[in-house]
Amino acid sequence: MLEIRKKRMVITRKTHECYGCLEEIEKGKSTVYVSAKEDDKHVQFHLHEECNKVIVKDRWFSGSGLYRGCIKDAMKTSEQLRAIDISSADELPFVCGS
C-alpha cells in the first residue's frame, strides 16, 4: 500500500512520467512532486496538477486505489462502462418487479 508522506508543487527541470496517467510531463511545467512510502521503501514521483486533483477528489484512490497508472485504468473502465448498451429489459440478469 502506498502511503503519501509529502506533496509539493515544483517546476520540472526535465521531462517526467506522470504516476497517475503515465503521460509525459514536459520540462518547465508546474507539477506535484510526491514523496511516499510503499512496502517499507521510499518512492518519489510526479503528478500532473489535474491528475492530483482527480486523486484528491475521488476517495477510491485514498486506499489501495493509488498505484502507477491508476487514473489511466480508471478512465478505461469508465469508457467501457459507458459503452455497454442495454436496450431491453430482457438482457438484464435479474427479474424486475415483485
Side-chain angles (χ1 to χ4, degrees):
M1 184 170 145
L2 188 68
E3 180 184 343
I4 294 177
R5 300 288 189 164
K6 294 181 189 175
K7 288 169 114 177
R8 64 185 168 120
M9 296 299 298
V10 298
I11 303 294
T12 58
R13 290 182 279 170
K14 62 180 185 174
T15 59
H16 293 276
E17 179 183 67
C18 176
Y19 187 81
C21 70
L22 305 179
E23 299 293 324
E24 183 178 280
I25 301 171
E26 297 175 13
K27 176 183 175 181
K29 295 290 182 177
S30 178
T31 185
V32 179
Y33 174 79
V34 180
S35 176
K37 192 174 181 180
E38 183 174 35
D39 300 328
D40 294 325
K41 291 184 180 182
H42 293 282
V43 294
Q44 299 89 30
F45 54 86
H46 292 81
L47 291 166
H48 288 109
E49 287 184 60
E50 298 81 25
C51 292
N52 182 60
K53 288 177 186 176
V54 169
I55 290 168
V56 170
K57 286 182 181 179
D58 193 335
R59 293 180 188 203
W60 181 82
F61 292 112
S62 69
S64 58
L66 182 58
Y67 58 89
R68 187 175 176 276
C70 60
I71 293 175
K72 191 171 194 171
D73 288 349
M75 289 180 356
K76 282 182 190 175
T77 302
S78 178
E79 289 171 5
Q80 289 170 344
L81 289 173
R82 280 193 296 261
I84 296 173
D85 180 32
I86 300 178
S87 57
S88 167
D90 296 334
E91 296 176 11
L92 295 175
F94 51 86
V95 179
C96 295
S98 8

